[in-house]
Amino acid sequence: MPILYDREKPKFHLYNESVSYIIGICAGRFPENLYYGRRIHDISGVKKEHRDNWRALTVCVGGIDEHISLHHLSHEYPSYGSSDFHYPAFSVLQDSGSRISGFAYESHEISRGKKPIPPLPSVYAESDSEADSLDIVLFDAVTGLRLILSYTIFASFPVVTRSACFLNSGSLPVVLDRAMSFSVDLPDSDFEMLQLSGAWSRERNILVRKLTEGIQSVHSMRGTSSAEHNPFIALKRANACENSGDVYGFSLVYSGNFLAQAEVDSFDRTRVMMGIHPDTFSWPLGSGESFQTPEAVLVFSSSGLNSMSQTYHELYRTRLARGYWRDRDRPVLLNNWEATAFGFTESKILQMAKSAKELGVELFVLDDGWFGKRNDDSSSLGDWQANPAKLPEGIEGIARKIRAEGLMFGIWIEPEMVNPDSDLYRAHPDWILSVIDRVPSIGRHQCVLDFSRPEVVDYIGTAIEKILGCSFVSYVKWDMNRYLTECGSRGLCAAGQGTVFHRYILGVYSLYERLTKAFPEILFESCSAGGARFDPGILSFAPQTWTSDDTDAIERLKIQYGTSMVYPLSSMGNHVSEVPNQQVGRMTHFDTRGNVAFFGMLGYELDPDGLEAGEREKIRSQIDIYKKNRTLIRTGLFYRILSPFEGNFTAWIVVSKDKQYAIAACYRVLAGANPDETLFKLQGLSPETRYRIDGRGDQCYFGDELMYAGLRIAQDEWNTRGDFASILWRLGPGE
Ligand code: DGJ
């Protein structure tokens, strides 16, 4: 059992081959972190600093025999106001007006496997042998509240998951106004913080900064996890890079407002915490009620960022994603959005589908504009019936015709939104998020439906089920195009308004749950103006997300590279689009656009009939290559080789688990005059295996040569390619 309990100390040691997480119970009351990092046998010395009162200005906790300053304890889930002056993990407002609490260890339970945390998504174990779990139960004698700190350690992943649950077992109501998913105190601050930040169309760019005294944080208060900051941070040692050094990753399985922060104190210790953003949250907890926080997934790597990412990839692909599509190759799709926007007719769609089929496309996706009277973005969200002017036989009719062409068919929906110009809004103006006496803000002419109200979610669920139920739909792109403002609900009293942001996300999850249960074979792809809600919470329902509205191949290098820090290639929707690119106006080679989009789930976003014959031929050949490699791309190990954030070249490789096959690419942004030959050191191969590389003749190369000496690209090989060039290599076993 990889959770050892030492009754004498007392102490819990969660471990597997690569990681140890050790928790003590200080003075029989306070859970303290004794160690988190690379696997060790045990920790013998327990820090004594917190047990003395020798420092001026130090305060010790009252009411217990020992002299303990909570400020100097390495907490597992700290409170504020009783001798610890750092930011707390939680805060409970009581009837008396006090927010002081005194939780103390009461009991614990160690169990095999991993329990779900409804109504929230979480990673799972498929059998009891995959993971072991620990619940530490704390009790506050004054309020009667119980607090359960939950931990799971996986047997074969360097992963510890954490969450907390508050149970009001007292007789009086309280209000939770802060309830982070976890907190952990690390003994030093010699770290750099890596974050994934950006904006619409340039999501998840990598930023690294040195930790310094005070608080450094990323957050969202936009109602979704957001394009601006992803719910993820990593703390890495300054000498840690892609392939070496200690890295701690922290990822939140949640799609709403979040806060991730690292607080460095005056003793150079670091408190890391993550959870629902407390500034937009307050949760009344009546007697007998409980509140479950989202789950945080902690990954430790002693061999750099890439290994941390590979752990997240494998865990999220196989133990977070669920359902029919989890382990299946995804169909190559054609989406009509960039080609037609709202201005399509049924015959245009059918013609595009027919041409796409000839090129090897397997799924046609009809994007925005098929419902209500929607000919631009000013109306009809909420009216989920096909527009007969565009689709005379409805969704069922077009789906049938596209199927007859030999393609699967998918549709776009944006179920969380309503336009004021819609029948739904006219019938239910109070179904939007809003606050009394204030005019709601408008984004893209639309308001946000109040998904904190079950009857609203139910209405939309019934409408969407009607479409999906009778129309041979195989795929749904679930979009979400504006952030939440005036986030109040007409369905709740004043005291409940602080719950709306969280209830909203629970409403989104419940609709996903309903639709994915009702239509288990439909492939759901999430989207939020591109990648503004690309997070583990959504991935547990939709195994892939439209990575970004930015389809420019060069911009995509950064976006996909940054996204890969946490998210597997199986979760990234990547499309080849026409040039000049609609977002940045750049001209890039067709090959480069394909070579970038290959590293994810491939699609096209163009009108095949508008292309020259040569370009259509290229699509045919790209799709052919992709189909031959898509299982490898979806399931292989991904290695980042050269970073687009650091230079003119980007490179990466996916290697099959048995190391027999690989697909690699390198990209050069700008050409330079008279360059030297370039050397690319591949990664992840077997040193002993001889590989043949497609397109490089009969020559075979040992894996060690390709990894340690490198693959040479001669000057003239680059120079015929100009700016925005790329080279793709497919490696297989040689003689
Ligand atoms: C935003 C998405 O990211 C696009 O791909 C497209 O679906 C539009 N919305 C449609 O309104």
Side-chain angles (χ1 to χ4, degrees):
M1 188 80 124
I3 299 182
L4 295 178
Y5 173 51
D6 178 344
R7 187 181 301 272
E8 295 304 308
K9 296 285 192 271
K11 176 170 78 173
F12 303 93
H13 186 173
L14 290 70
Y15 70 91
N16 59 28
E17 257 184 21
S18 37
V19 63
S20 282
Y21 194 109
I22 307 181
I23 305 158
I25 304 292
C26 175
R29 299 172 68 88
F30 309 112
E32 67 175 318
N33 188 276
L34 299 180
Y35 175 80
Y36 174 37
R38 190 194 276 244
R39 168 75 198 274
I40 56 175
H41 286 97
D42 196 3
I43 195 107
S44 45
V46 175
K47 209 172 115 197
K48 293 278 191 297
E49 292 284 279
H50 53 272
R51 292 187 190 260
D52 296 312
N53 189 16
W54 55 269
R55 279 193 183 100
L57 292 179
T58 296
V59 184
C60 285
V61 67
I64 58 172
D65 293 339
E66 294 180 60
H67 286 225
I68 291 178
S69 161
L70 295 184
H71 193 74
H72 294 280
L73 195 74
S74 296
H75 290 270
E76 279 292 293
Y77 203 71
S79 63
Y80 176 79
S82 172
S83 82
D84 181 1
F85 302 101
H86 302 96
Y87 264 79
F90 70 96
S91 161
V92 183
L93 175 62
Q94 297 142 51
D95 227 34
S96 61
S98 159
R99 282 191 169 83
I100 305 301
S101 54
F103 283 94
Y105 170 86
E106 182 182 57
S107 63
H108 71 268
E109 188 186 316
I110 295 174
S111 56
R112 308 236 54 191
K114 182 175 191 295
K115 287 182 271 205
I117 51 165
L120 288 157
S122 56
V123 296
Y124 54 85
E126 283 204 327
S127 71
D128 280 357
S129 60
E130 285 186 359
D132 288 86
S133 298
L134 164 69
D135 282 348
I136 300 179
V137 183
L138 309 171
F139 181 64
D140 177 40
V142 173
T143 56
L145 249 62
R146 286 193 165 75
L147 165 58
I148 303 150
L149 303 182
S150 295
Y151 301 79
T152 293
I153 176 121
F154 277 80
S156 54
F157 293 111
V159 169
V160 174
T161 64
R162 288 197 53 185
S163 69
C165 180
F166 288 84
L167 170 64
N168 187 351
S169 38
S171 53
L172 293 175
V174 297
V175 178
L176 266 181
D177 46 24
R178 183 180 183 96
M180 305 303 278
S181 293
F182 82 97
S183 178
V184 64
D185 287 347
L186 302 172
D188 68 88
S189 66
D190 193 10
F191 290 110
E192 292 174 344
M193 178 170 128
L194 183 150
Q195 64 195 64
L196 302 176
S197 298
W200 172 75
S201 217
R202 51 180 164 82
E203 300 88 347
R204 291 171 298 288
N205 280 212
I206 295 174
L207 280 174
V208 178
R209 51 174 142 161
K210 186 163 168 33
L211 284 194
T212 180
E213 213 168 297
I215 287 181
Q216 26 264 288
S217 68
V218 292
H219 76 277
S220 167
M221 292 200 284
R222 294 172 151 85
T224 75
S225 48
S226 91
E228 282 67 17
H229 300 293
N230 200 255
F232 166 79
I233 54 171
L235 296 188
K236 63 187 259 313
R237 296 297 182 190
N239 65 355
C241 54
E242 281 292 347
N243 299 308
S244 66
D246 286 359
V247 180
Y248 295 84
F250 305 96
S251 163
L252 190 66
V253 186
Y254 191 58
S255 310
N257 291 345
F258 74 92
L259 173 67
Q261 76 179 34
E263 177 180 8
V264 176
D265 72 7
S266 31
F267 299 94
D268 281 336
R269 295 167 312 175
T270 306
R271 173 169 293 177
V272 192
M273 61 174 69
M274 200 172 208
I276 294 176
H277 201 304
D279 288 1
T280 52
F281 169 84
S282 78
W283 197 273
L285 207 59
S287 174
E289 292 177 348
S290 62
F291 181 82
Q292 170 67 53
T293 72
E295 179 170 274
V297 178
L298 284 56
V299 170
F300 173 74
S301 160
S302 55
S303 43
L305 289 163
N306 206 92
S307 147
M308 173 202 73
S309 299
Q310 288 182 350
T311 300
Y312 277 120
H313 294 175
E314 198 65 5
L315 185 78
Y316 285 175
R317 184 175 67 78
T318 65
R319 293 295 179 269
L320 174 67
R322 298 175 291 172
Y324 182 84
W325 287 100
R326 186 189 79 172
D327 299 323
R328 284 186 159 79
D329 286 333
R330 314 286 162 69
V332 176
L333 66 83
L334 178 81
N335 179 304
N336 69 308
W337 177 247
E338 283 206 11
T340 68
F342 300 99
F344 58 85
T345 58
E346 186 178 78
S347 62
K348 176 68 193 165
I349 292 301
L350 288 173
Q351 187 197 329
M352 283 175 74
K354 204 179 168 76
S355 310
K357 169 72 186 166
E358 283 162 16
L359 303 178
V361 167
E362 298 158 305
L363 162 69
F364 185 91
V365 179
L366 181 57
D367 210 279
D368 195 354
W370 56 265
F371 51 91
K373 300 191 203 80
R374 193 158 167 96
N375 293 316
D376 55 36
D377 60 12
S378 66
S379 83
S380 302
L381 289 172
D383 298 343
W384 297 109
Q385 301 89 31
N387 178 354
K390 286 183 180 170
L391 303 175
E393 293 176 65
I395 284 290
E396 188 169 357
I398 182 102
R400 193 175 2 92
K401 290 170 200 165
I402 285 186
R403 284 199 160 218
E405 296 293 344
L407 286 164
M408 292 189 274
F409 175 71
I411 54 167
W412 176 99
I413 57 173
E414 192 175 3
E416 298 155 66
M417 300 290 156
V418 66
N419 288 112
D421 182 8
S422 68
D423 293 341
L424 178 62
Y425 183 84
R426 283 183 280 272
H428 297 285
D430 61 331
W431 275 13
I432 62 166
L433 290 175
S434 62
V435 294
I436 303 275
D437 297 335
R438 308 267 171 207
V439 180
S441 304
I442 295 279
R444 208 195 191 201
H445 311 286
Q446 63 199 55
C447 298
V448 185
L449 283 170
D450 181 357
F451 265 36
S452 76
R453 292 171 73 170
E455 67 272 31
V456 177
V457 178
D458 188 51
Y459 172 89
I460 294 294
T462 305
I464 303 288
E465 269 182 9
K466 225 168 162 181
I467 303 276
L468 302 183
C470 64
S471 58
F472 317 111
V473 173
S474 308
Y475 164 103
V476 168
K477 176 178 175 186
W478 178 322
D479 206 347
M480 197 280 181
N481 281 298
R482 63 155 289 187
Y483 291 140
L484 279 53
T485 54
E486 293 85 26
C487 191
S489 171
R490 304 295 172 88
L492 291 164
C493 64
Q497 297 300 322
T499 68
V500 179
F501 271 113
H502 183 56
R503 283 186 198 276
Y504 177 87
I505 286 297
L506 295 183
V508 171
Y509 290 155
S510 75
L511 185 58
Y512 258 117
E513 186 73 25
R514 172 173 171 175
L515 295 178
T516 51
K517 275 232 165 74
F519 305 101
E521 293 188 15
I522 288 184
L523 171 60
F524 281 82
E525 175 155 353
S526 76
C527 172
S528 176
R533 198 163 61 183
F534 200 136
D535 60 63
I538 285 292
L539 285 180
S540 81
F541 300 99
Q544 61 190 62
T545 292
W546 177 221
T547 310
S548 176
D549 271 352
D550 194 337
T551 53
D552 171 65
I554 300 306
E555 290 293 304
R556 274 290 185 127
L557 292 175
K558 287 185 177 161
I559 296 167
Q560 292 175 206
Y561 191 97
T563 304
S564 81
M565 201 46 73
V566 185
Y567 304 100
L569 301 194
S570 61
S571 67
M572 292 186 215
N574 296 343
H575 298 177
V576 174
S577 63
E578 285 183 41
V579 290
N581 177 266
Q582 289 191 7
Q583 292 77 35
V584 300
R586 186 179 278 130
M587 301 294 292
T588 50
H589 309 282
F590 216 99
D591 290 346
T592 295
R593 280 175 268 154
N595 290 346
V596 174
F598 277 163
F599 290 83
M601 303 297 99
L602 181 68
Y604 289 81
E605 189 107 11
L606 41 73
D607 180 358
D609 292 323
L611 302 177
E612 288 164 10
E615 288 180 321
R616 276 201 296 277
E617 218 23 70
K618 279 198 188 293
I619 296 183
R620 201 193 308 277
S621 128
Q622 283 177 346
I623 293 179
D624 188 47
I625 294 173
Y626 186 76
K627 284 181 180 167
K628 289 189 181 123
N629 289 279
R630 66 179 153 188
T631 309
L632 161 66
I633 291 166
R634 186 174 55 78
T635 62
L637 290 171
F638 182 68
Y639 294 83
R640 292 179 292 266
I641 300 176
L642 291 174
S643 166
F645 298 100
E646 288 168 14
N648 199 30
F649 289 93
T650 300
W652 47 45
I653 185 170
V654 186
V655 182
S656 64
K657 297 264 167 58
D658 64 6
K659 296 181 191 265
Q660 294 300 299
Y661 296 89
I663 181 162
C666 72
Y667 313 87
R668 184 182 66 178
V669 178
L670 292 180
N674 189 17
D676 199 358
E677 67 174 10
T678 37
L679 270 176
F680 288 95
K681 294 185 177 169
L682 304 186
Q683 290 184 28
L685 303 173
S686 150
E688 310 300 331
T689 301
R690 280 165 69 82
Y691 295 92
R692 188 186 299 281
I693 302 180
D694 265 20
R696 288 181 84 94
D698 284 341
Q699 171 149 14
C700 289
Y701 308 78
F702 276 108
D704 53 10
E705 179 190 342
L706 295 173
M707 292 192 292
Y708 312 139
L711 188 60
R712 284 171 196 283
I713 312 296
Q715 194 209 71
D716 54 351
E717 205 173 329
W718 276 124
N719 267 10
T720 51
R721 295 169 200 254
D723 290 342
F724 317 128
S726 65
I727 304 178
L728 187 79
W729 298 296
R730 283 168 291 137
L731 285 72
E735 299 303 307

